[in-house]
Amino acid sequence: NSNQGQAIDTIYEKLDSSIVTVDCFDNLMKHRDEYIYFRTDHHWNGLGAYYAYEVFCQAKGVQAYTLDQRKEVTFSNFLGAFYSQNSGKDPLLAETPDTVFAYCPVSTSAGMRYTDRSGNTYNWNIITDVSNWDISSKYSTFAAGDNPIAVFNNPAVTDGSVCIVVKESYGNALMPYLVDHYSTIYEIDYRYWNGNIVDFATEKNADDLIFANNLSMIRSNY
């Protein structure tokens, strides 16, 4: 086992100086006694993603919107991947299901549409009511889950700013926060999207390109 903070520092040291790093490790550690990660799933809860968003705002030089400014919604009885991927359906995990905490964008006029892996496009809510969804699917409240590409529009931000977020599923929980700072965001899941990111950013005249990944991805074939 290695120290994750040291691993992040080592990776950041290898990056080009033009890249702005967003090191959320210390802020997450500061709040480690709070409910920022699930017990039965490998993702962070909406609160954990918020603490990463705070550091992003510091790095970008903008004011973070507080949780008090956002509508909080909760979805109980969530049993995530640690439970569902266990062949025995671990009864200890079943006894302590998680609760998903989600925080809506401040901009209530913001919306999204996504294109699924079959090429179908849907209008969707950035935070979706998953109360009656399958017990293992409730993390999908965030930004419609994992899809090749999604587009977020916020009429309340009128500067024409464009951002591209390249992510895996950890990035989903960041989207309700990021959407408050851009006119348009293109969210790309690199596991399912096929294209050239540089050409795409040029075509969309993107101001920012954000890579949002969990640390475990550096040890995978992705």
Side-chain angles (χ1 to χ4, degrees):
N1 292 332
S2 61
N3 182 289
Q4 291 186 353
Q6 291 176 356
I8 293 170
D9 291 341
T10 299
I11 293 167
Y12 282 178
E13 287 171 0
K14 298 179 182 297
L15 299 180
D16 187 272
S17 60
S18 64
I19 297 172
V20 178
T21 58
V22 179
D23 189 351
C24 58
F25 181 85
D26 288 342
N27 205 31
L28 289 169
M29 285 294 289
K30 185 171 70 174
H31 294 280
R32 64 187 178 273
D33 292 331
E34 300 173 32
Y35 192 20
I36 60 175
Y37 287 95
F38 298 114
R39 292 182 299 273
T40 68
D41 192 74
H42 60 289
H43 293 105
W44 50 16
N45 211 334
L47 184 59
Y50 178 79
Y51 291 134
Y53 157 75
E54 282 188 321
V55 183
F56 163 78
C57 288
Q58 293 171 7
K60 185 169 173 58
V62 297
Q63 183 66 42
Y65 291 95
T66 66
L67 291 177
D68 289 339
Q69 292 175 280
R70 301 174 179 277
K71 177 184 176 182
E72 177 191 275
V73 291
T74 61
F75 304 102
S76 60
N77 207 31
F78 170 49
L79 292 174
F82 292 149
Y83 174 80
S84 62
Q85 294 176 4
N86 185 320
S87 59
K89 300 289 187 182
D90 193 326
L92 290 177
L93 293 181
E95 290 173 5
T96 57
D98 281 295
T99 297
V100 180
F101 283 81
Y103 300 89
C104 298
V106 174
S107 304
T108 56
S109 60
M112 68 170 290
R113 65 184 186 275
Y114 74 90
T115 301
D116 67 17
R117 297 173 217 177
S118 299
N120 303 306
T121 299
Y122 303 92
N123 293 320
W124 209 252
N125 293 319
I126 297 172
I127 296 294
T128 303
D129 185 351
V130 293
S131 302
N132 297 320
W133 286 32
D134 182 84
I135 196 170
S136 65
S137 301
K138 297 191 177 183
Y139 183 75
S140 294
T141 183
F142 300 110
D146 296 330
N147 295 284
I149 188 167
V151 184
F152 300 76
N153 291 293
N154 187 353
V157 179
T158 59
D159 60 5
S161 54
V162 177
C163 176
I164 298 173
V165 177
V166 179
K167 61 88 188 181
E168 31 74 16
S169 55
Y170 261 64
N172 302 354
L174 284 171
M175 300 311 299
Y177 307 123
L178 297 179
V179 74
D180 285 312
H181 297 277
Y182 296 94
S183 297
T184 305
I185 298 179
Y186 297 92
E187 179 205 58
I188 289 173
D189 193 317
Y190 59 82
R191 298 168 298 178
Y192 312 116
W193 183 80
N194 293 313
N196 182 299
I197 192 66
V198 175
D199 291 344
F200 186 79
T202 302
E203 173 192 340
K204 301 301 182 183
N205 197 26
D207 300 285
D208 291 342
L209 173 62
I210 299 172
F211 291 90
N213 294 284
N214 80 83
L215 193 62
S216 291
M217 297 305 284
I218 66 171
R219 59 176 175 80
S220 80
N221 61 0
Y222 284 118

